[in-house]
Amino acid sequence: MMMGTALIYDEQMTKYKLLWVDPACKVEVPERLIVSHEALVRNGLADRCVSIPVREATDAEVLLVHSEEYLEAVKRTPYMSLGDLMEFTLQYGDVYFHPNIYHCAKLAIGATLQLVDNVMTGRVRNGMALVRPPGHHSQHSAANGFCVFNNVAIAAQYAKQKYGTKRVLIVDWDVHHGQGVQYCFEDDPSVLYFSWHRYEHQNFWPMLKESDYDSVGKDKGAGFNINVPWNKVGMENSDYLAVFFHVLLPAAYEFGPDLVLVSAGFDSAIGDPEGKMCATPDVFAHLTHLLMNLAGGKLCAVLEGGYNLTSLAQSVCQTVQTLLGDPVPRPTELGGPCESALESIHCVRSAHKQYWSCLKHAADRPTSDLSTKLFKVAEQKSGEERNGVEHKEKENEEMNTEAAVWPEPPKRLAPPVHTASALPGGVACPDGCKCFSSSEDPNPFVLGELRENFFKESEDKDALTTLCNLSALLERMEKNEIRNGLVLVRDVSMAMMCAVQHAATSLTNRVLLVCVGDGAAPTHITEDGKTLLVQISSKEPEGQKSKYYVPVCLRKGCSDMAGFTQAVLGLLLPLGYEYDPNLVLLVRMPDSGLCESVWQQLTGLLQGLAQGHTLVLMQEDEKASVGPTASSLLGTPAPSLGPLGAPLPEDVESLERLRHRLQADWKLLQTTAAPGSGGSDQRD
Ligand code: Q9C
Ligand code: ZN
């Protein structure tokens, strides 16, 4: 039932290194792999993974992406003298060769393909391959940027060929643009390539104009290449998450991949000398988690860059621990995205609006921005000409990067009980759940309170017992003895009130209350900020609107998959992340019209909040949903929704309007830079 996480690593891939002096290549060292693996072992993560041996790729596999001439040339490198190797290296950019690198490059592909095989055949659910050399810069006939063969591009072709995979999503969160991957799939609509990268208006390596947001793919592949250029260094967790919420995830869900490959470079993390970004290692837990419910959970992460050994090892651990299903840490340091990030997000969304229904109503780029793009290049240049000034700043940045300090990510302890359920008589407790009953310790005080609040007139013994169970379950969740739970009740509205009141009188200081479907929600409880209520329904909201009451109205309620998914990704998740609750209360109203797979997606995605503390409330008669819901709470990936159609235009529009209205209060909902700011930035 519980499928494992693969870890593919072989020490052999540490057996090559730079043999001469080259400042551009000095950061790519064997220790990168050693420290990453050691950290996985030290944290007990390696042991929990399914260890899979590497193998050498065959020529045919290399040729899935590369030319015969290039392969033959690389084949000769093991026999070259140092002088010959140096000369061979010179024809390529920012890469080095070593007598053993060809062997390692074949192992790196082989490791990646082993991972794909094990995931595609269902032997494991997901996994990570720790490889050297990396791959995403290498091209049809060229090595580049420490890369010899394009591991991930080969993996995508391999999956299509061997398993008939129809749609592959490649998420490249390395801080450099994987131009090799882009070139490979530019005109291929079956591979959606997403990359964010340090760009600085084309002033950062590899300094290509085709790394900008307006390279969207060609011919049939138009729209299937998504570039997010970072035009400033110092991007933080909220910048990364905003791009996921407002660019990548909507497109990825619309695309509906049957396999997700991650070009997992960690030079996008804090402390990295190449990236100079400020996202902390725990952000990779969230990035990973947010991708884990796509493609039925089939996710293969493959190491690319990452040159600060501390930050790299921590980030690798965060990624693997998330793949294993441990509770995701609370998101840290979430302000809003910075102006420069918003400018990039705005540009990408606008460049892609003609290709993706989810972006159809994205704001157009002001025409003045077209000239901003050119102007910025000029600006940067003139900065360099003011001799010395720019240079000094660069030196300072360098020092700051090396001095960067950040707390070690906290331990992620899984509670002894993963999922508890309190179900009415006659409903079997699903496999893997702990059947919860508080009868052992009835708390007379709680009992009295409940009776007072909910049963003044009548005396319904069954209902009272259920509410007692509910309270006891919440208490155990607060103590971190139970991660999440599922309760079936006769009256969801009453149970919801009871749970909210319980939380309000306990240590829990923030509850995210998500109501799905029509039915009265307790809008009055949102005054004090201790509850954020998001209701997705077909009813026009009535009553007050406040920062903490967000009614999302969809024309056909929850029955339109595409519209609902968009509301979850672009609205609910960013709100939830910024609010950072310590409990998520997920309530399914009767007759919500929501289909099971979408519900499972929602349940799965919400596990990224409150360290996985989600309590699900459903109506007693929804017995058929108990199994699927429990399975999602237990960490089983939701089934793929497949490619999504277009949401109703009026829904997309109303969601955009709502996002607009809430932006002043919730920065993570922003997708455009403040008008008139001219892209100025607080991090300059
Ligand atoms: N300081 C990977 O991360 N050198 N490759 C840039 C600017 C090339 C990075 C020089 C960086 C290649 C896989
Ligand atoms: Zn990189």
Side-chain angles (χ1 to χ4, degrees):
M1 182 205 56
M2 271 288 263
M3 281 198 300
T5 293
L7 178 63
I8 299 146
Y9 168 74
D10 197 304
E11 205 187 278
Q12 286 190 69
M13 286 179 283
T14 66
K15 307 291 185 206
Y16 77 90
K17 64 177 185 187
L18 178 62
L19 295 176
W20 51 84
V21 176
D22 180 354
C25 293
K26 67 170 199 288
V27 295
E28 206 296 296
V29 295
E31 288 75 17
R32 296 179 53 239
L33 230 48
I34 299 171
V35 299
S36 300
H37 186 251
E38 273 176 4
L40 289 173
V41 172
R42 189 170 33 189
N43 290 295
L45 298 170
D47 256 352
R48 295 170 53 196
C49 290
V50 179
S51 169
I52 287 163
V54 303
R55 64 172 175 87
E56 274 199 355
T58 64
D59 281 7
E61 287 161 351
V62 176
L63 295 174
L64 285 170
V65 163
H66 300 280
S67 70
E68 238 163 295
E69 306 83 87
Y70 176 60
L71 172 58
E72 291 309 314
V74 177
K75 263 188 194 172
R76 287 191 289 273
T77 59
Y79 310 101
M80 288 181 186
S81 68
L82 189 65
D84 287 348
L85 281 172
M86 285 175 79
E87 195 186 301
F88 182 75
T89 293
L90 277 179
Q91 62 187 309
Y92 307 116
D94 290 25
V95 68
Y96 64 88
F97 279 83
H98 176 282
N100 197 38
I101 203 173
Y102 171 57
H103 174 57
C104 293
K106 282 190 295 185
L107 291 179
I109 301 172
T112 308
L113 300 186
Q114 288 281 73
L115 176 56
V116 169
D117 278 331
N118 278 273
V119 166
M120 289 308 296
T121 57
R123 274 195 53 204
V124 296
R125 168 179 298 159
N126 56 29
M128 173 146 205
L130 289 181
V131 302
R132 267 181 89 236
H136 70 155
H137 297 303
S138 68
Q139 296 148 45
H140 187 62
S141 289
N144 183 263
F146 315 153
C147 305
V148 175
F149 297 136
N150 205 313
N151 308 319
V152 164
I154 292 170
Q157 296 289 35
Y158 179 84
K160 286 205 291 174
Q161 194 184 77
K162 185 163 177 186
Y163 298 101
T165 307
K166 289 281 169 299
R167 289 170 307 277
V168 181
L169 168 66
I170 300 178
V171 177
D172 188 340
W173 71 44
D174 185 282
V175 86
H176 300 97
H177 182 215
Q179 84 278 38
V181 184
Q182 172 169 315
Y183 299 153
C184 193
F185 299 111
E186 233 158 1
D187 58 3
D188 185 347
S190 71
V191 177
L192 172 57
Y193 177 63
F194 166 92
S195 173
W196 62 36
H197 34 269
R198 180 172 169 193
Y199 190 58
E200 296 176 290
H201 301 283
Q202 214 184 313
N203 287 295
F204 186 70
W205 190 90
M207 303 210 250
L208 303 167
K209 72 172 181 342
E210 63 266 32
S211 305
D212 213 346
Y213 60 82
D214 51 1
S215 288
V216 296
K218 293 179 176 153
D219 306 322
K220 282 201 172 109
F224 296 93
N225 191 89
I226 305 182
N227 284 334
V228 180
W230 299 124
N231 288 316
K232 293 269 164 73
V233 295
M235 293 300 165
E236 298 174 357
N237 296 355
S238 10
D239 301 306
Y240 287 9
L241 286 168
V243 168
F244 262 52
F245 295 141
H246 301 302
V247 180
L248 173 60
L249 292 174
Y253 270 86
E254 187 169 336
F255 182 61
D258 20 43
L259 174 64
V260 178
L261 302 175
V262 180
S263 267
F266 299 101
D267 40 17
S268 44
I270 191 165
D272 191 277
E274 294 287 313
K276 294 181 169 34
M277 297 301 175
C278 293
T280 49
D282 58 285
V283 86
F284 296 101
H286 291 282
L287 304 187
T288 304
H289 188 264
L290 289 166
L291 298 173
M292 278 170 67
N293 284 290
L294 287 157
K298 291 197 286 296
L299 188 157
C300 302
V302 183
L303 184 68
E304 299 278 0
Y307 308 102
N308 176 311
L309 298 181
T310 309
S311 160
L312 168 65
Q314 289 176 358
S315 302
V316 166
C317 286
Q318 290 295 315
T319 303
V320 171
Q321 196 168 3
T322 307
L323 292 177
L324 281 163
D326 279 359
V328 176
R330 300 270 291 265
T332 53
E333 294 172 47
L334 292 191
C338 70
E339 287 293 315
S340 176
L342 285 170
E343 213 173 73
S344 300
I345 291 170
H346 186 173
C347 289
V348 190
R349 284 169 53 93
S350 143
H352 277 275
K353 58 187 291 186
Q354 57 179 306
Y355 306 108
W356 299 97
S357 328
C358 58
L359 299 176
K360 200 156 178 176
H361 293 262
D364 280 309
R365 228 160 353 108
T367 37
S368 65
D369 253 38
L370 283 170
S371 54
T372 317
K373 185 171 162 171
L374 301 168
F375 170 65
K376 291 252 163 86
V377 178
E379 189 179 52
Q380 192 97 20
K381 283 216 180 97
S382 75
E384 271 163 14
E385 277 153 23
R386 277 187 276 110
N387 63 64
V389 176
E390 186 80 354
H391 191 69
K392 257 231 175 79
E393 275 173 14
K394 287 259 162 67
E395 266 177 12
N396 282 338
E397 274 171 22
E398 198 100 34
M399 283 165 55
N400 289 340
T401 310
E402 272 158 34
V405 280
W406 64 95
E408 192 180 335
K411 294 272 169 285
R412 295 161 55 177
L413 290 181
V417 174
H418 193 297
T419 302
S421 62
L423 305 169
V427 182
C429 186
D431 278 352
C433 278
K434 189 183 156 77
C435 185
F436 185 83
S437 162
S438 70
S439 54
E440 316 126 23
D441 51 348
N443 181 334
F445 176 73
V446 173
L447 209 69
E449 287 274 292
L450 288 171
R451 192 172 277 128
E452 172 69 20
N453 285 325
F454 298 102
F455 300 102
K456 270 193 199 122
E457 283 107 60
S458 72
E459 178 73 30
D460 180 337
K461 191 125 188 305
D462 280 359
L464 191 60
T465 311
T466 310
L467 295 192
C468 267
N469 270 333
L470 183 62
S471 289
L473 181 50
L474 280 170
E475 252 164 60
R476 302 277 297 275
M477 281 170 60
E478 276 157 22
K479 289 188 202 146
N480 213 29
E481 292 169 3
I482 297 176
R483 172 158 159 183
N484 56 33
L486 168 60
V487 181
L488 254 59
V489 293
R490 182 143 339 137
D491 180 346
V492 273
S493 302
M494 187 193 278
M496 167 164 63
M497 276 315 302
C498 168
V500 167
Q501 277 188 16
H502 174 101
T505 54
S506 76
L507 292 175
T508 307
N509 41 33
R510 284 190 307 281
V511 179
L512 172 63
L513 174 54
V514 181
C515 289
V516 172
D518 299 351
T523 61
H524 62 280
I525 51 148
T526 58
E527 305 287 293
D528 57 0
K530 284 188 82 173
T531 310
L532 167 61
L533 166 58
V534 180
Q535 180 169 25
I536 308 180
S537 72
S538 66
K539 287 235 186 74
E540 275 302 335
E542 38 195 273
Q544 90 287 20
K545 292 176 184 172
S546 82
K547 176 175 176 182
Y548 298 102
Y549 170 45
V550 180
V552 183
C553 171
L554 299 173
R555 181 63 196 294
K556 294 195 205 151
C558 303
S559 61
D560 177 39
M561 265 202 204
F564 187 89
T565 304
Q566 198 166 342
V568 169
L569 301 174
L571 206 68
L572 175 59
L573 287 184
L575 282 171
Y577 267 78
E578 188 164 346
Y579 185 61
D580 184 22
N582 28 30
L583 173 70
V584 176
L585 200 55
L586 174 56
V587 182
R588 180 151 110 184
M589 300 294 198
D591 310 310
S592 65
L594 190 66
C595 77
E596 212 68 72
S597 52
V598 181
W599 170 250
Q600 287 181 295
Q601 285 288 346
L602 173 63
T603 311
L605 286 165
L606 287 172
Q607 292 285 302
L609 298 166
Q611 296 176 288
H613 288 306
T614 301
L615 182 71
V616 176
L617 296 177
M618 293 192 308
Q619 196 83 14
E620 218 167 46
D621 53 0
E622 303 211 66
K623 296 186 177 70
S625 294
V626 167
T629 306
S631 150
S632 287
L633 286 171
L634 282 163
T636 307
S640 167
L641 303 177
L644 292 175
L648 299 173
E650 58 222 273
D651 284 351
V652 185
E653 247 173 308
S654 82
L655 285 173
E656 286 293 304
R657 265 202 313 277
L658 184 56
R659 233 164 28 76
H660 223 82
R661 169 170 84 74
L662 295 164
Q663 266 169 30
D665 290 322
W666 302 99
K667 304 288 178 220
L668 221 37
L669 292 178
Q670 296 177 350
T671 54
T672 53
S677 73
S680 72
D681 195 278
Q682 68 270 27
R683 275 171 227 168
D684 238 354

